Amino acid sequence: MERSLTREFPGFQLQFTTNPLASPGGTVEKTDTKPEATLHREAAEEAQLNLTDPVRLGWVLDETGEVYGGVGPNARLRLAARITAIGPTAVDPATGRPFARLLATPAQAAALLGWGPPGQRQAQLAAETARERWSLPAAPAAAIEEIPAEGMRLS
């Protein structure tokens, strides 16, 4: 399905056509022992993220499964995890291309991805989990930025 879309946030404007944005994710493979293993693998393959301590946030109904070739109705598990490192940009083995990576608050990510009210609730839960489980402060309102190709150090 071809569509043009523009979304604006403070200091950042995105313009894209077709399959605009996604967060790391995908289907469970035979080598994945549980959904959290899928999260670790997909985050490393697609965004070069090292994660720790994943937490299940909930499920989102996908009524068509178009993203996965029209598999039909299914539920997608949403997880949050603490990012411990962001490596240099690399080619995703599934698509053969590198992805641009954006640094955004959970609420900004849910809005960018078009997740609607359920996604906004999960973004809030992710922020609460970060504060309560990992003692991380709430992300301040800031412009969305692209992660440099060489990666980033996290404090």
Side-chain angles (χ1 to χ4, degrees):
M1 171 171 60
E2 180 93 5
R3 65 180 176 175
S4 282
L5 184 61
T6 300
R7 300 212 181 166
E8 294 184 41
F9 291 88
F12 205 92
Q13 181 179 22
L14 299 174
Q15 295 184 15
F16 34 78
T17 303
T18 309
N19 194 15
L21 293 171
S23 60
T27 58
V28 177
E29 294 183 1
K30 290 179 183 181
T31 57
D32 297 334
T33 57
K34 56 187 175 180
E36 290 79 2
T38 303
L39 172 67
H40 284 283
R41 180 181 50 75
E42 292 286 354
E45 288 176 358
E46 296 178 4
Q48 297 71 56
L49 301 177
N50 290 338
L51 307 175
T52 188
D53 197 19
V55 177
R56 294 181 185 201
L57 299 178
W59 299 86
V60 175
L61 175 63
D62 178 351
E63 295 186 17
T64 65
E66 281 186 37
V67 169
Y68 297 110
V71 297
N74 64 86
R76 295 190 196 173
L77 177 62
R78 297 286 189 227
L79 300 108
R82 186 171 180 167
I83 299 171
T84 58
I86 303 173
T89 300
V91 172
D92 174 35
T95 64
R97 65 174 201 238
F99 291 107
R101 303 169 303 164
L102 303 176
L103 190 59
T105 67
Q108 289 170 319
L112 276 170
L113 294 164
W115 286 352
Q120 289 296 333
R121 285 191 296 277
Q122 289 177 2
Q124 180 62 39
L125 183 56
E128 290 170 9
T129 297
R131 186 181 66 248
E132 294 168 9
R133 188 172 185 132
W134 304 309
S135 300
L136 296 174
I144 295 169
E145 61 182 274
E146 189 166 356
I147 295 171
E150 63 273 8
M152 289 180 73
R153 294 187 74 166
L154 301 174
S155 48

